[in-house]
Amino acid sequence: MRRQVVIIGSGPAGLLLGQLLGRAGIDTLILERSTREHVLSRIRAGVLERGTVALLEKAGVAERLHREGLVHSGVELAFDGDRLRLDLAALTGGAGVSVYGQTEVTRDLMEAREAAGRPTVFEAGDVEIRDIETACPSVSFTVHGERRTVACDFVAACDGFHGIGRRSVPEGALRTFERVYPFGWLGLLTDAPPVTDELVYANHPRGFALLSMRSPTRSRYYVQVPLETRAEDWSDERFFDELRLRLPAGMASRLRTTPSIEKSVAPLRSFVAEPMRFGSLFLAGDAAHIVPPTGAKGLNLAAGDVHYLSSGLIEHYREGSDAGLDRYSERALGRVWKAERFSWWMTSMLHRFPGTDAFAERMQRAEFDHVASVRSAAANVAENYVGLPF
Ligand SMILES: Cc1cc2nc3c(=O)[nH]c(=O)nc-3n(C[C@H](O)[C@H](O)[C@H](O)COP(=O)(O)OP(=O)(O)OC[C@H]3O[C@@H](n4cnc5c(N)ncnc54)[C@H](O)[C@@H]3O)c2cc1C
């Protein structure tokens, strides 16, 4: 069997890449370790930058997003009960973000792929990538007990942080940068109308809290918790009690206790692997970098990588030029590091760090006051939040 591009992973990065390449007439095979149902049941990101929305439009999968997604032209920050609304539209010349769950993005992309008859192998086990230093790489995998090998021109590793792609690069060829934060987020999803029309990121002496949503009837809430926290130790009641304590007074009184649909703990990490290409292998999305979710950049960065990688591959097949592929790593990393900076800054300002001193706490407050009182500082946050241009 031979394909032009083998994509590993059917998360948003892999599916979006497959869709953009497929529409350009490039033949792809997606290999996914999990079942289709498992991929579609994962609750993750929910805020789409304007560039991500434009890319989904280009991929022909934005019809439901425009119908059901919520366009937000503002976002709120809170510090010890003080509130600050950032008017994203006014601060950026009209831009905003769209609230539409990653699960829905994945479903739209998967259905488009299936409708076009493009192949995906689910439950592909023991994926092995070979000969990436040559122009004839291959990928082997096991499905229904049978071992298969596919030869290809390129391999795109869109297989997340724990995938096989990054680990297939010879030792010493990658440089990695990492910061692990000493806390996680406990998230709760519930069918209740959002407390506020816009997202609220709050720093409180008891820790960070976030009011987010997926639709006009579905809310997603988070509280900062110690790393060792287990979701099953938190009843819904305990979660809502804690969340209420961390919110500004007017908001806490509007919070309704409705049963959770899902509850999970996500650790917070910053991570970058450089470069994002080794020979015929390209890394995209979480396979190459992780951001803490404060700032809502993870899914959007994956889309940014796919923008650069798909245009490089299309240029290769249409024009016989490798200029875009040769610049892929440099262009993607330029944008990745800016999003890493923003996500780190948001995380640093909004969380309570164990063992921190009074000076560090005053610095957090000064950051908040600076954004609240200096328009250029607010504009800087807004421009990063709606997403830097590709
Ligand atoms: C629990 C959690 C909560 C998150 N919350 C937010 C949030 O609120 N906001 C935000 O912006 N971001 C959030 N993120 C980050 C965001 O979801 C990711 O940045 C985004 O999913 C990246 O997409 P991806 O396609 O690169 O990787 P993934 O979505 O991880 O997809 C990778 C795919 O590859 C498959 N795979 C892995 N290994 C193999 C293998 N060896 N062979 C075949 N297939 C393989 C996986 O099963 C998966 O389907 C969250 C992430 C997690 C884990």
Side-chain angles (χ1 to χ4, degrees), residues 1-3 6 29 31 137-141 148-152:
M1 205 190 334
R2 186 173 175 84
R3 300 279 176 181
V6 172
L29 171 69
L31 300 176
S138 66
V139 183
S140 300
F141 58 99
R148 296 188 196 162
T149 297
V150 188
C152 55

Side-chain angles (χ1 to χ4, degrees), residues 107-129:
R107 180 178 293 282
D108 294 343
L109 284 163
M110 225 179 238
E111 286 178 358
R113 184 169 183 85
E114 286 159 3
R118 297 183 189 117
T120 303
V121 177
F122 289 99
E123 298 179 75
D126 301 323
V127 172
E128 246 181 289
I129 310 169

Side-chain angles (χ1 to χ4, degrees), residues 193-216:
V195 175
T196 50
D197 291 339
E198 295 169 345
L199 274 79
V200 181
Y201 294 80
N203 182 332
H204 184 272
R206 294 181 69 87
F208 169 79
L210 170 59
L211 293 183
S212 182
M213 67 286 289
R214 293 292 179 266
S215 74

